[in-house]
Amino acid sequence: MQHNLARGAYFLALATLFTALLNALQKITGSTLSVVEIVFFRNLFSMPFVIAIALRGGLVLKTHHFGGHVIRSVVGLISMIMTVVAVTHLPLAEQQVLSYTQPLFLILLSIPFMHERPSVQRWVAVGVGFVGVIIVATGKGLLGAAHGTVPTWAYAVALGQGAVGALTTMQIRQLSATEKSTTIAMWQAILMTIATAAALPFVWQMPTRADVLCLIAVGAFAGIAQVLQTEAFASAQVSAIGPFAYCGLIWAALIGWLGFHEIPGVAMFIGGLLIIGSGLWMLRHERPQKQKVVLETESSSGA
């Protein structure tokens, strides 16, 4: 760990830019190609970058928890599919804002799965965050009459993706107790590629030359984003650089405005501030809790 805040913040902000770009490309291809096809090429063309990361940390495929990797990959695949569906039907900025609900769902899921007891402050943060979700989902003035009405179910998909993403994060935490992060990443890439490849014959739609270039870029941008995120979290603590992950909203709003003529409305800004604010509040309280755990561990071992 280098503890270089400037380096970590720069790489994390850059990673969110590539994520926003790949979402824009998924939005373009999602209007003509099947979702499974897009996810297949995303995993396939991001594989070289995943292998590069794995080789740096020592490529290890041996595992005693293959079933855990399968479950984690299935859940991760569902999350990717929901993301493509959401960005295809929602403005990029709204989809990005709703993706920030993942920490809120992580708190809710930690109760039955991790037997944790969230503090009052965290419950307040969850409540404020979901008020923001309601404001974003019910504020219909974003696109205007020229672009039609955004389907209500698309908001449900985007919100569901936040919940599934939280479940994926929880599974990674559980696997990380015995598995290397590179092992988890490699098995995810392999299993997701195989699963979507098996489904391709049933959903295949012939891509145009432009589609092929977009799909290659989707995979490359996903891989680059993963490399940059890995470098970011290797440079500084998550609690220190975490707020820079919200730069993704800036990129999404700019790309949506310039590329798709999506003009964010007041409801999106108000709801987004509440969701992001709740996330920042939880990041702020993450470090003291970790320090408390360390102190308790040290005192227990001293006793």
Side-chain angles (χ1 to χ4, degrees):
M1 181 73 73
Q2 301 177 37
H3 299 294
N4 187 330
L5 178 60
R7 185 175 187 273
Y10 172 75
F11 279 126
L12 187 56
L14 201 55
T16 64
L17 172 59
F18 278 95
T19 301
L21 288 171
L22 80 87
N23 280 338
L25 293 175
Q26 288 181 147
K27 185 181 185 71
I28 294 172
T29 53
S31 61
T32 56
L33 300 177
S34 70
V35 175
V36 173
E37 193 171 347
I38 295 171
V39 174
F40 165 74
F41 284 109
R42 171 177 173 167
N43 284 287
L44 179 66
F45 291 124
S46 67
M47 187 81 73
F49 297 91
V50 176
I51 294 174
I53 296 174
L55 288 174
R56 288 181 56 185
L59 181 59
V60 179
L61 286 178
K62 183 178 179 180
T63 176
H64 298 290
H65 301 280
F66 182 71
H69 289 288
V70 172
I71 295 173
R72 184 260 176 278
S73 298
V74 170
V75 176
L77 188 58
I78 294 172
S79 178
M80 279 191 185
I81 291 173
M82 295 177 81
T83 298
V84 176
V85 173
V87 298
T88 301
H89 294 89
L90 290 177
L92 290 174
E94 288 196 358
Q95 184 277 329
Q96 187 66 47
V97 163
L98 293 175
S99 73
Y100 292 145
T101 58
Q102 181 172 324
L104 307 180
F105 283 110
L106 197 56
I107 290 177
L108 296 177
L109 291 174
S110 68
I111 299 173
F113 289 102
M114 309 296 290
H115 304 292
E116 295 181 0
R117 294 182 179 180
S119 63
V120 175
Q121 292 90 341
R122 286 181 175 266
W123 277 119
V124 172
V126 169
V128 170
F130 280 113
V131 168
V133 170
I134 294 172
I135 293 175
V136 171
T138 56
K140 300 297 183 181
L142 181 68
L143 291 179
H147 291 80
T149 303
V150 178
T152 304
W153 59 262
Y155 290 103
V157 172
L159 190 60
Q161 190 276 324
V164 176
L167 185 57
T168 301
T169 301
M170 191 165 293
Q171 290 174 323
I172 291 175
R173 287 183 181 179
Q174 293 175 337
L175 284 171
S176 296
T178 56
E179 307 282 282
K180 294 180 63 175
S181 60
T182 52
T183 304
I184 298 172
M186 279 302 302
W187 275 116
Q188 171 189 316
I190 293 170
L191 292 173
M192 284 188 179
T193 303
I194 293 174
T196 48
L200 271 185
F202 305 99
V203 297
W204 176 260
Q205 293 172 272
M206 183 60 66
T208 64
R209 184 176 299 179
D211 289 334
V212 172
L213 293 176
C214 284
L215 291 171
I216 293 173
V218 164
F221 288 169
I224 293 171
Q226 189 167 355
V227 171
L228 291 170
Q229 192 175 50
T230 301
E231 289 295 325
F233 292 137
S235 301
Q237 294 178 341
V238 176
S239 57
I241 64 174
F244 291 92
Y246 295 108
C247 289
L249 179 57
I250 299 175
W251 307 130
L254 284 174
I255 294 171
W257 175 44
L258 297 174
F260 302 94
H261 306 292
E262 298 169 352
I263 303 175
V266 176
M268 198 285 293
F269 280 116
I270 295 176
L273 285 174
L274 291 175
I275 295 171
I276 292 174
S278 64
L280 290 174
W281 175 265
M282 285 185 282
L283 274 174
R284 179 184 176 185
H285 287 78
E286 180 179 358
R287 184 181 295 177
Q289 286 185 355
K290 286 185 176 180
Q291 291 176 346
K292 180 180 179 182
V293 171
V294 171
L295 291 174
E296 288 178 349
T297 304
E298 290 178 349
S299 59
S300 297
S301 58

